[in-house]
Amino acid sequence: MGNPRSPRRPTQADVARLAEVSPSVVSAVVNGRHDGAVRASEPTVRRVWEAVRKLGYSPNLAARSLAGGRNNIVGVFTYEAVFPTDRLSFFHDSLTGIEEAAEELDCHLLLFTGSRGRGQDGGRRRAIFKDGVNTLQVTDGAVLLGQDEDREELSALVASGFPFVYIGRRELSSGEMSYVTADYAAATRGLVERCAGLGHRRLALLRSTVASEAVLERETGYFEACRGHAGVESGAVHLVEPDAVATDLLATLADQGVTCVVTDDSNHAASVRSGAIGLGLRVPEDLSVVALGDFAGSRPDDPTITSLLTPRREMGGQAVRLLADLLARPQDTAPRRAVATCGTRPGQTLKAPPAR
């Protein structure tokens, strides 16, 4: 009989001796296949699991995979440094949603933070493949996230048939992939229509120089909303750097009669508000400022900014559920897609424009 306190790792043979069954019965029970070629009664199954608990036995996941079963492990890979994370992190809520869904589905999570040297910015460049080998394949499938993705790697994953779901819409020229996204275009339309409903007729859109799918979806929603309201002037799209908005740009917009500035995130919105105050403008009495996302970069998000709220927690959970569907129905090779609904934060930076 095995000893639970022994430093030697317990084996299936130890479990079999303690449960008084054959090793093949132990293998069938721990791998969930005791109703197949090797059958075990319910009392026998209970006896095996009691022995497993007493001995602290852990199934050999590699052998289980080779035997045709699943590891019951979901990989989580990020192209950005997010482990460990905190509540100020852009990815915190996504990871919380991933963890909650994995618990619901009784799966383990395996976090990957691979790298392959340093990039031009001095930071480590993360990669899924190492020496041509997919490092995620020790899992059943993976959830991917991060804004610095390698599109060639994603194309290679699609071509290999490895099951994965990306958090955030990603379109590839070489093939379709599974992802969960947010309804950025619809949510943007709703917020801009609210601005127009308050009486704003001259708006300006400030967006990041990085044109990701999410940024372009917001831009689409912005122009659709402006076109849908007679008399609303959308103005030109102004590209701004991540950390600041030039004061001279704001002065020009004010001279042009712009009464509402729409930014792509709360970081830009905070910069617009600071710049406007520096010009002697009151926010929102003289100039309204709204954000199409609540991400504030390295700054804590400002709850006083009127903003759309990205449903990151829901997206994280939905990504795991889409992956579970991919694994449950491998014969259906169509990409899985899901769209989560954005929320809205009222904030304090939007009100009707001043009377002219």
Side-chain angles (χ1 to χ4, degrees):
M1 181 184 302
N3 185 347
R5 300 181 183 275
S6 171
R8 181 177 68 85
R9 178 175 178 175
T11 65
Q12 283 192 3
D14 295 327
V15 175
R17 281 192 292 271
L18 182 58
E20 298 181 342
V21 297
S22 69
S24 62
V25 169
V26 173
S27 177
V29 170
V30 298
N31 289 308
R33 298 194 299 273
H34 54 84
D35 293 326
V38 178
R39 295 183 178 274
S41 66
E42 285 304 312
T44 299
V45 171
R46 287 196 296 270
R47 199 162 68 247
V48 169
W49 282 118
E50 183 179 356
V52 166
R53 286 190 292 272
K54 284 184 177 180
L55 295 173
Y57 169 73
S58 296
N60 185 321
L61 295 180
R64 179 178 176 180
S65 179
L66 289 172
R70 289 206 183 107
N71 292 338
N72 205 33
I73 295 178
V74 171
V76 181
F77 177 87
T78 170
Y79 280 102
E80 299 179 50
V82 300
F83 307 123
T85 187
D86 58 36
R87 292 187 181 275
L88 298 182
S89 167
F90 179 84
F91 295 105
H92 177 270
D93 288 345
S94 296
L95 296 172
T96 298
I98 290 171
E99 183 179 24
E100 290 173 344
E103 288 180 352
E104 291 172 7
L105 297 171
D106 196 24
C107 296
H108 297 290
L109 292 179
L110 184 58
L111 309 182
F112 290 83
T113 58
S115 61
R116 59 180 182 193
R118 295 192 177 275
Q120 294 181 350
D121 60 357
R124 298 198 71 84
R125 296 178 58 198
R126 298 195 167 194
I128 294 171
F129 288 87
K130 183 176 179 58
D131 298 326
V133 176
N134 173 13
T135 58
L136 304 179
Q137 62 185 345
V138 296
T139 69
D140 297 322
V143 173
L144 277 55
L145 63 161
Q147 299 184 57
D148 297 323
E149 72 278 0
D150 185 327
R151 300 283 173 125
E152 291 185 3
E153 280 202 329
L154 298 184
S155 295
L157 279 182
V158 171
S160 71
F162 179 79
F164 73 96
V165 177
Y166 212 100
I167 296 182
R169 178 185 160 203
R170 296 296 186 274
E171 301 294 346
L172 303 174
S173 59
S174 58
E176 294 185 320
M177 56 182 272
S178 298
Y179 60 72
V180 56
T181 186
D183 63 344
Y184 295 118
T188 298
R189 285 196 302 272
L191 183 55
V192 174
E193 287 169 357
R194 179 183 167 195
C195 296
L198 288 172
H200 291 281
R201 291 297 175 264
R202 289 193 175 183
L203 287 72
L205 175 63
L206 277 57
R207 75 159 174 81
S208 170
T209 53
V210 180
S212 67
E213 283 91 346
V215 169
L216 295 178
E217 285 177 20
R218 294 182 177 105
E219 184 175 310
T220 297
Y222 170 80
F223 283 110
E224 287 178 348
C226 290
R227 287 194 299 267
H229 283 268
V232 173
E233 298 180 18
S234 59
V237 176
H238 302 275
L239 304 183
V240 292
E241 295 301 323
D243 297 325
V245 176
T247 303
D248 57 350
L249 171 59
L250 294 179
T252 298
L253 295 177
D255 290 341
Q256 294 173 348
V258 170
T259 61
C260 182
V261 174
V262 181
T263 69
D264 60 355
D265 62 48
S266 57
N267 192 7
H268 286 144
S271 295
V272 169
R273 181 171 59 182
S274 296
I277 293 173
L279 292 172
L281 299 174
R282 298 169 301 165
V283 176
E285 290 79 7
D286 300 319
L287 181 70
S288 288
V289 183
V290 299
L292 303 180
D294 53 326
F295 175 50
S298 58
R299 308 178 187 179
D301 184 43
D302 188 338
T304 66
I305 300 290
T306 300
S307 173
L308 296 182
L309 299 175
T310 304
R312 299 186 189 91
R313 189 168 182 167
E314 181 180 349
M315 292 168 69
Q318 188 66 280
V320 175
R321 296 183 189 97
L322 290 181
L323 179 61
D325 187 64
L326 278 169
L327 296 171
R329 298 187 297 136
Q331 69 281 0
D332 182 357
T333 58
R336 298 339 191 241
R337 305 277 172 81
V339 180
T341 302
C342 293
T344 303
R345 180 172 60 201
Q348 303 169 14
T349 57
L350 173 63
K351 68 179 301 184
R356 297 295 183 182

